[in-house]
Amino acid sequence: MTEKIKLLRIYTDEAAYLGDRKVLEVIASRARDAGLAGVTILDARLGFGRSAHVHRRHVFESDRAVVIEIVDEEKRLRTFVDGLDDIPDVGLMTLEAVEVLGGKARQTIAEKGA
């Protein structure tokens, strides 16, 4: 079961918007609508990417780097990523193999794979 399970990481920043919604909220909402196993959004203390702009929390604004993590089957994640083409401020996206050892998500992933 676990050999097809992957971890998708999407790097963006808290200040990125698509229309009037934060990019991180749009991605999380789409992941839920796609029936993916789950999403976790992690705040980074500091980060920069290709532009070398340093993202960090300021006193009057939030421009922190964020990492969105989604674990599910590889095929489902690749299909999901293909649907993110309309979001301009998505940064680096990576996909790596993971082994699901336990927890409620293990049962959810197993049921979807059956």
Side-chain angles (χ1 to χ4, degrees):
M1 169 189 82
T2 59
E3 55 275 345
K4 296 185 291 183
I5 303 302
K6 302 284 184 171
L7 168 63
L8 171 64
R9 283 197 180 114
I10 302 172
Y11 297 83
T12 187
D13 65 82
E14 195 173 20
Y17 279 83
L18 180 64
D20 62 346
R21 293 183 66 199
K22 288 186 176 189
V23 166
L24 61 96
E25 293 170 351
V26 171
I27 292 172
S29 177
R30 288 185 185 182
R32 184 183 57 237
D33 293 346
L36 297 179
V39 174
T40 300
I41 299 175
L42 308 166
D43 288 328
R45 292 179 146 307
L46 186 101
F48 71 91
R50 185 178 65 180
S51 71
H53 170 75
V54 176
H55 299 273
R56 68 177 95 199
R57 185 168 183 90
H58 301 284
V59 175
F60 297 111
E61 62 184 69
S62 286
D63 185 26
R64 285 185 286 199
V66 295
V67 179
I68 303 166
E69 293 190 341
I70 307 171
V71 176
D72 210 311
E73 292 182 351
E74 180 175 2
K75 183 178 178 182
R76 293 171 53 83
L77 292 174
R78 288 185 182 277
T79 299
F80 178 74
V81 165
D82 289 343
L84 300 179
D85 288 342
D86 65 318
I87 303 177
D89 289 327
V90 172
L92 177 69
M93 290 188 273
T94 64
L95 191 65
E96 61 187 82
V98 295
E99 182 178 356
V100 178
L101 297 176
K104 291 181 182 179
R106 181 178 185 193
Q107 182 178 356
T108 302
I109 293 169
E111 289 169 357
K112 290 182 183 206

